[in-house]
Amino acid sequence: MSVQSNLLNIRKHIPDNVDLVCVSKFHPNESILDAYHAGERIFGESKVQELCTKYETLPKDIQWHFIGHLQSNKVKYIVPFVELIHAVDSIKLLSEIDKQAAKADRIVNCLLQVHIGEEETKFGFSPEEVTSALAEAREFKNVQIRGLMGMATFTEDSNQVKKEFRLLKSIFDKLKSESEYEFSVLSMGMSDDFRLAIEEGSTMVRIGSSIFGNRNYV
Ligand SMILES: *Cc1c(COP(=O)(O)O)cnc(C)c1O
């Protein structure tokens, strides 16, 4: 299937109030341009070097989202142009984003990653930690926390996935109701679970392989 026909299929299931991040990591510029010419403008990457190269070589009206685990020492390379950083998982990282954003004279939009899945290795704040993390994050002048991001457990058990999305949505609603700032982004849902995520209140889905095909990691 072509990128454009995959997009037509997927777009049918995404309501207007939900943003689509086309996850283009490990895929070449030509594939991104296929999606771009189909009207897509939001692309997600998870490696700093790859993102910077693509930013340099692709149309400037693309909004680049960083969706992967970000190391503090690489923040400076993406802060000048990145539209949204999805997976902020420590105050230390946030502090570095703030510092580099001040240097670049920007306010950088971020999401706090919440650990909702069962896997031990997944990054993110625990549901218990995220409220105080958000309070601390408000101290940073050059960072704006726009919402939350999470990944469900990789499982066939849709009840489990639904339960995790529901948990994240309930945390999101609570923080949103207490927030004086615009706190409106709930980034959850990938190729295998985005329909469920939308049912459970996602406002932003991150879809890669269903658009671009399988990634070739070598
Ligand atoms: C790679 C990635 C995605 C996209 O995954 P697909 O299953 O290919 O849709 C979404 N979110 C994050 C954080 C990712 O790293």
Side-chain angles (χ1 to χ4, degrees):
M1 292 291 269
S2 74
V3 166
Q4 301 210 349
S5 62
N6 289 341
L7 272 168
L8 272 177
N9 260 329
I10 284 165
R11 276 287 181 194
K12 278 190 221 146
H13 303 289
I14 302 179
D16 288 345
N17 60 330
V18 174
D19 286 318
L20 169 61
V21 180
C22 301
V23 176
S24 48
K25 63 188 187 196
F26 295 93
H27 290 285
N29 283 5
E30 298 82 79
S31 301
I32 297 176
L33 285 170
D34 284 344
Y36 181 88
H37 292 308
E40 301 301 334
R41 289 296 179 274
I42 307 178
F43 292 87
E45 291 284 334
S46 63
K47 296 267 185 290
V48 167
Q49 180 61 56
E50 184 177 355
L51 171 56
C52 290
T53 307
K54 286 174 173 172
Y55 167 72
E56 293 296 333
T57 51
L58 284 160
K60 284 294 174 279
D61 63 343
I62 289 179
Q63 298 168 31
W64 291 104
H65 288 199
F66 193 82
I67 62 168
H69 178 66
L70 181 57
Q71 290 169 287
S72 292
N73 62 342
K74 296 192 175 159
V75 167
K76 58 177 176 285
Y77 301 114
I78 64 168
V79 149
F81 66 89
V82 74
E83 179 75 19
L84 182 65
I85 299 176
H86 284 238
V88 174
D89 62 356
S90 74
I91 297 297
K92 176 175 165 274
L93 174 59
L94 211 50
S95 157
E96 177 64 16
I97 297 170
D98 183 60
K99 184 175 132 196
Q100 297 299 335
K103 272 193 198 165
D105 197 21
R106 290 194 77 203
I107 294 181
V108 172
N109 296 316
C110 296
L111 307 177
L112 297 181
Q113 182 175 3
V114 184
H115 181 142
I116 50 170
E118 277 180 344
E119 288 99 343
E120 283 296 326
T121 53
K122 289 264 168 77
F123 298 103
F125 295 101
S126 71
E128 295 76 30
E129 288 167 331
V130 70
T131 305
S132 65
L134 181 61
E136 279 187 74
R138 296 296 189 210
E139 303 298 315
F140 297 114
K141 298 258 179 307
N142 289 76
V143 166
Q144 279 285 353
I145 306 296
R146 296 297 181 196
L148 303 178
M149 176 267 202
M151 273 186 277
T153 303
F154 187 69
T155 171
E156 299 279 299
D157 180 358
S158 58
N159 279 322
Q160 170 81 22
V161 173
K162 190 186 283 190
K163 208 176 72 192
E164 293 169 1
F165 284 153
R166 241 173 231 185
L167 170 66
L168 186 58
K169 172 71 158 83
S170 71
I171 301 167
F172 172 75
D173 284 342
K174 177 173 172 291
L175 295 177
K176 184 179 171 147
S177 71
E178 294 164 358
S179 181
E180 294 160 31
Y181 302 82
E182 194 189 319
F183 190 86
S184 56
V185 180
L186 181 55
S187 168
M188 61 182 197
M190 314 182 7
S191 289
D192 288 338
D193 56 19
F194 78 93
R195 291 214 228 171
L196 201 51
I198 290 171
E199 277 169 32
E200 296 303 328
S202 170
T203 74
M204 187 176 276
V205 291
R206 311 175 307 270
I207 303 181
S209 41
S210 295
I211 299 173
F212 297 110
N214 290 332
R215 290 176 285 272
N216 187 357
Y217 289 104
V218 293

